[in-house]
Amino acid sequence: MGMQQESVNAEAVWRAAEPCAAEIPRLIAWGVGSSADILCWLATGTDPDKWLVVVWGRGDARWAEYACRMLEFLCRLFRAEFDECPLGDVSLWGVGFTGARARALPVMARLVTPRRAAPAP
């Protein structure tokens, strides 16, 4: 199953978790945890530089919003810099990011930055 289908799944989960919501936000899945958590961009607006990360925690059946972008989220996960692990599986929690991994961060940032939406005609 690809990330496009996971995005559809995320929006269905949002709809089920928030049945009274006036509208479903645009969610773009970029990761799935081994415990079936769904990691998404909350795609509000047309500027992907402003999209925050939201995570559906399958274990506690709730959405959590993180005021950071994908790369910062992953770095904070690897460095255990959140109050608690945002994923149901803790195998990546606090594994560190030093040496060659740390030097690769600028390259990774360019690879994971979502493309800007094309302007409407």
Side-chain angles (χ1 to χ4, degrees):
M1 180 178 322
M3 287 297 106
Q4 185 174 8
Q5 182 58 47
E6 286 301 336
S7 296
V8 171
N9 293 343
E11 290 178 354
V13 168
W14 189 287
R15 193 174 299 108
E18 303 287 337
C20 296
E23 63 182 70
I24 307 302
R26 182 168 176 230
L27 300 172
I28 301 173
W30 54 263
V32 178
S34 62
S35 58
D37 301 321
I38 307 173
L39 297 87
C40 302
W41 282 296
L42 181 59
T44 55
T46 59
D47 185 356
D49 289 336
K50 295 181 180 174
W51 295 351
L52 302 180
V53 170
V54 292
V55 176
W56 170 254
R58 184 79 59 190
D60 55 6
R62 69 178 178 91
W63 284 99
E65 184 176 308
Y66 296 88
C68 58
R69 293 181 46 219
M70 177 193 199
L71 185 60
E72 180 183 351
F73 176 86
L74 290 172
C75 289
R76 291 178 68 190
L77 172 69
F78 297 148
R79 294 176 179 153
E81 293 178 353
F82 293 110
D83 292 338
E84 60 184 37
C85 183
L87 304 178
D89 173 31
V90 296
S91 62
L92 297 176
W93 182 243
V95 297
F97 231 148
T98 60
R101 289 180 186 161
R103 288 189 299 278
L105 288 178
V107 173
M108 290 172 54
R110 287 191 301 275
L111 295 175
V112 300
T113 299
R115 291 179 292 188
R116 294 187 186 279

